Amino acid sequence: MECHAVINSLSDYLDGQNVWISDDEAKQIETHLTNCPTCQNFKLELNEIKIAARELPLHTPPRAMWTRIANQIEAEIAAENGPLRHAQNASGWWGWLRSRRFTFSLPQLAGGAAVAVALIVAAISGIFGPHSGTLNLSGVQTALLPEEDEIKADLERRLNAVNARKAQWDAQRRAEFEQHMTRIDESLKRCRYMLGDNPKDAIQQQMVRALYTEKRQLLEDVERLRW
Amino acid sequence: MTTDGMNNAAPTSLPASLSDYELTQASGRGDMKAFETIYERHHRRVYSLCLRMVANATEAEDLAQEVFIQLFRKIGSFRGESAFTTWLHRLTVNHVLMHFRKRGVRLEKTTEEGEIGEIQDYLQSAADRPRFVDRIALDKAISELPPGYRTVFVLHDVEGFEHEEVADMLGVSVGTSKSQLHKARMRLRELLNKKTDKKTETKKTESKK
């Protein structure tokens, strides 16, 4: 057997002598390898590459990758199940809430009362504290999007209108609303932080816009339902 | 699945002993903490696979991110009939191949000129070759392969898929898969030897100084 033929068959020989080449051919290759140090060397090198390939080091992606994944998943879920979709039904979000049967145990009622007290305290401290509005725009200081100031002003106006009525809500409704707002604000905070690191990151820009839209939709629903 | 469901289902901590299958079931119910644990266990492997296939860190990051988002959407369909790792790797490979198709990368026709002619050169100068393949150098050399060779090599030699599976995934014959793999190994050997030769030359020059 010639060197060329042996070299061309070496991968088949290394990968499965009984699968890709016949016993007879394998014997011919072995005979050649015994007598040809050059081809033997070639075989050893290909085998080393084959073995090393299974032991390659793993690479680590940037830590921000998980944040982006989590944000996108949360945004997708929110888009699928957000309040706007409920509001599009005839009964709306209010109807959805009304359709739910709330039964509370004593500990739950006690917990609810505690939440209500906490909210009242938070509202009072909000009124008299350094941040007189209750708008939480996730520590927004400088605009990261060209239209961000405009969005913030719109959200602030809507939120002020909602805040003015919030005192009349029952604890359950308030807790539901706060829960949605907190969730959006937390995501917004994470995304803005990421965007601050890389202001040209188109995905983060998209995420921030989507979250502002979600927040506006929530406030619109509350306004429209005249809570 | 709702955002409420997602948060409600998320426990504060998950036992490390939970199997991948148990985690997929919890993730399928919207448990984000379970999904994060899956991510923690597998993200390096998924990212490394993407990186080795596309040989570009930014692209690999985007692809790995898309894979995990797609995984979250599909995780409910994982029935545990195969190992989760196998399932995830297949999902990753399919996603990268789809990316290649969208980008118009022709895998089966990507070759380099003069590949077999190099055997002769090798035969003439094979006496002094390294006996050890540096894994980092090999990783770097893989990124220098043409896309067609690289894909087959990564799928077969790095990820351990059989030729029949590689051929099936790439839509080529088993013969093509085998031939591409052999050429990939030959090219890698050459690249590694070049690197070793360079190192030796540098050392010689330095010792002369």
Side-chain angles (χ1 to χ4, degrees):
Chain A
M1 209 171 183
E2 296 289 320
C3 288
H4 269 90
V6 170
I7 288 173
N8 281 333
S9 303
L10 274 179
S11 280
D12 284 350
Y13 177 78
L14 292 170
D15 291 340
Q17 295 173 24
N18 301 321
V19 182
W20 304 121
I21 54 174
S22 66
D23 287 351
D24 190 40
E25 204 179 347
K27 272 179 197 160
Q28 284 183 47
I29 291 170
E30 277 156 20
T31 309
H32 181 94
L33 291 174
T34 316
N35 299 313
C36 178
T38 307
C39 287
Q40 174 66 15
N41 198 31
F42 207 128
K43 188 205 101 178
L44 291 173
E45 285 184 3
L46 287 193
N47 201 37
E48 279 184 42
I49 289 171
K50 184 183 147 132
I51 293 166
R54 299 310 301 268
E55 298 162 356
L56 288 175
L58 288 178
H59 295 270
T60 306
R63 288 190 64 80
M65 197 167 95
W66 168 250
T67 313
R68 282 205 284 268
I69 291 168
N71 286 345
Q72 191 160 336
I73 289 172
E74 281 181 23
E76 278 185 21
I77 292 170
E80 272 179 29
N81 304 288
L84 188 64
R85 215 177 74 166
H86 291 298
Q88 282 165 347
N89 298 333
S91 52
W93 201 25
W94 173 233
W96 166 75
L97 272 179
R98 275 178 37 180
S99 69
R100 291 177 59 174
R101 293 182 62 189
F102 298 110
T103 49
F104 301 106
S105 65
L106 204 58
Q108 281 174 325
L109 284 171
V115 169
V117 169
L119 283 170
I120 290 165
V121 170
I124 291 168
S125 64
I127 290 163
F128 297 107
H131 309 290
S132 58
T134 48
L135 177 69
N136 175 8
L137 278 179
S138 320
V140 173
Q141 298 298 327
T142 31
L144 294 173
L145 299 170
E147 72 278 27
E148 196 169 23
D149 286 338
E150 205 179 317
I151 295 172
K152 275 163 55 184
D154 176 56
L155 288 176
E156 194 155 357
R157 182 188 60 75
R158 290 175 191 277
L159 193 62
N160 284 340
V162 170
N163 282 339
R165 291 199 305 274
K166 233 164 50 174
Q168 298 158 19
W169 298 356
D170 61 35
Q172 175 71 29
R173 183 181 290 184
R174 210 158 26 221
E176 291 253 1
F177 175 76
E178 295 293 346
Q179 195 186 5
H180 278 283
M181 287 297 275
T182 306
R183 194 174 299 140
I184 295 169
D185 281 337
E186 278 171 2
S187 298
L188 197 50
K189 195 174 178 180
R190 276 201 301 271
C191 286
R192 289 194 85 260
Y193 180 77
M194 301 282 308
L195 189 59
D197 273 355
N198 181 9
K200 288 183 180 171
D201 187 337
I203 295 172
Q204 283 306 325
Q205 287 177 356
Q206 209 180 330
M207 295 297 306
V208 169
R209 285 195 177 99
L211 286 162
Y212 276 132
T213 305
E214 196 186 336
K215 192 164 180 168
R216 182 176 49 77
Q217 285 171 348
L218 172 61
L219 293 169
E220 267 177 6
D221 282 348
V222 172
E223 281 176 75
R224 196 171 50 77
L225 294 166
R226 301 299 302 163
W227 272 20
Chain B
M1 188 192 311
T2 66
T3 43
D4 282 341
M6 186 171 81
N7 281 354
N8 292 341
T12 48
S13 64
L14 287 163
S17 59
L18 278 184
S19 70
D20 279 344
Y21 180 68
E22 287 166 315
L23 289 169
T24 61
Q25 296 303 295
S27 302
R29 293 190 296 271
D31 184 336
M32 207 53 183
K33 194 77 192 167
F35 189 65
E36 192 175 353
T37 309
I38 289 178
Y39 174 84
E40 282 304 322
R41 281 186 193 175
H42 299 282
H43 73 289
R44 294 182 72 213
R45 196 157 276 283
V46 167
Y47 174 70
S48 300
L49 174 53
C50 293
L51 184 59
R52 289 199 177 103
M53 285 180 82
V54 298
N56 176 300
T58 313
E59 244 177 284
E61 203 186 317
D62 287 348
L63 286 167
Q65 188 177 319
E66 287 161 17
V67 165
F68 276 101
I69 289 163
Q70 206 179 74
L71 173 67
F72 189 81
R73 292 178 191 144
K74 289 186 173 177
I75 207 157
S77 66
F78 177 67
R79 299 273 169 261
E81 287 147 359
S82 59
F84 176 71
T85 321
T86 313
W87 191 74
L88 177 58
H89 283 204
R90 195 62 189 257
L91 184 77
T92 309
V93 169
N94 286 345
H95 192 76
V96 177
L97 293 178
M98 189 64 79
H99 168 76
F100 282 156
R101 279 182 201 116
K102 278 184 201 162
R103 223 181 48 176
V105 175
R106 300 294 297 270
L107 295 174
E108 60 184 305
K109 291 186 180 172
T110 310
T111 57
E112 282 194 335
E113 284 178 17
E115 63 230 4
I116 298 300
E118 286 157 4
I119 295 174
Q120 199 58 46
D121 300 340
Y122 168 79
L123 290 172
Q124 287 164 4
S125 59
D128 184 26
R129 293 300 177 199
R131 285 283 170 212
F132 175 70
V133 175
D134 177 347
R135 273 129 188 88
I136 294 168
L138 175 60
D139 210 12
K140 172 98 177 41
I142 292 170
S143 71
E144 291 171 28
L145 286 175
Y149 294 177
R150 189 170 63 231
T151 304
V152 174
F153 182 81
V154 169
L155 294 178
H156 188 281
D157 276 10
V158 180
E159 294 299 318
F161 288 104
E162 298 294 337
H163 276 303
E164 288 85 351
E165 294 173 291
V166 175
D168 185 41
M169 282 186 260
L170 301 181
V172 297
S173 68
V174 170
T176 303
S177 172
K178 281 167 56 190
S179 149
Q180 296 277 66
L181 177 67
H182 183 64
K183 287 170 184 169
R185 285 176 180 165
M186 299 266 286
R187 183 83 183 111
L188 285 171
R189 190 207 55 75
E190 188 203 333
L191 287 167
L192 290 168
N193 280 325
K194 269 185 192 164
K195 281 185 175 52
T196 313
D197 290 347
K198 266 187 192 171
K199 270 186 191 171
T200 317
E201 268 177 36
T202 316
K203 273 183 188 169
K204 276 181 188 171
T205 319
E206 279 171 2
S207 64
K208 276 180 188 173
K209 286 176 187 173

